[in-house]
Amino acid sequence: LSVAVVGGAIGGASAALLLARRGAKVTLFERVPHPRAVGAGIALQPNGLAVLFGLGLKDRLVGHAVQADAPRVVDGRGRLLVAPKLPADPDGLDRLLTIRRSDLHAALLDAVTAEPRIVMRLGAEVVATTASGTLTVRTEQGDRDEQFDLIVGADGVHSRVRDSGDFGAKVQRTGIWYLRG
């Protein structure tokens, strides 16, 4: 299976690793020539940890993270807003890990670089895709069409993959708000 993953951040790098480790030949496209994480930190929930640990990143992540066995979100007055219940799990999936995005992203990119079934194309902007697997890439040398069996769009909220085809995916407001700080 020949797969293009568009977007080299946390989701794209994870998807590329998962697909490659199941035998796919993956090309990971990232429009910026030198990827770096955006944002300060991230709290990794047990379901995300299960994926990342399955990719062999447990020791590296735990070594850079702070574990939260009983996480709580409080307001400015210290009033409890949320106290998520975590599953009991003997494999370390019974907690949250809070980690700098840059540390998580670096661990994923190192794993991508070490994976022989992944070719990383930095500075290659995907400008269009089709449902039949054609992908148009823009580089300094110009635009070029490439063919894949599967294209995975992990290129964010302003996804060129989603916007360039009739894939049934729609962006709509949910009315749900969140806070990053």
Side-chain angles (χ1 to χ4, degrees), residues 5 12-22 26 55 57 107-115 117-118:
V5 175
S14 297
L17 285 165
L18 290 164
L19 288 160
R21 292 190 181 165
R22 293 299 297 166
V26 179
L55 290 171
L57 300 176
L108 285 164
L109 290 180
D110 286 349
V112 164
T113 301
E115 176 56 58
R117 287 180 293 275
I118 299 176

Side-chain angles (χ1 to χ4, degrees), residues 69-148:
D69 300 322
R72 306 174 330 129
V73 176
V74 298
D75 67 10
R77 295 183 182 164
R79 293 178 296 194
L80 181 65
L81 299 176
V82 179
K85 299 214 183 300
L86 299 174
D89 187 277
D91 296 321
L93 300 176
D94 56 350
R95 62 197 55 150
L96 302 181
L97 289 184
T98 55
I99 189 169
R100 290 180 190 264
R101 284 180 181 270
S102 58
D103 290 335
L104 172 58
H105 198 218
L108 285 164
L109 290 180
D110 286 349
V112 164
T113 301
E115 176 56 58
R117 287 180 293 275
I118 299 176
V119 173
M120 195 157 47
R121 304 255 309 269
L122 302 177
E125 181 180 8
V126 173
V127 294
T129 61
T130 67
S132 63
T134 302
L135 175 140
T136 304
V137 183
R138 179 166 294 150
T139 65
E140 290 179 356
Q141 291 77 34
D143 291 2
R144 184 171 127 194
D145 287 345
E146 299 183 31
Q147 190 67 37
F148 295 90

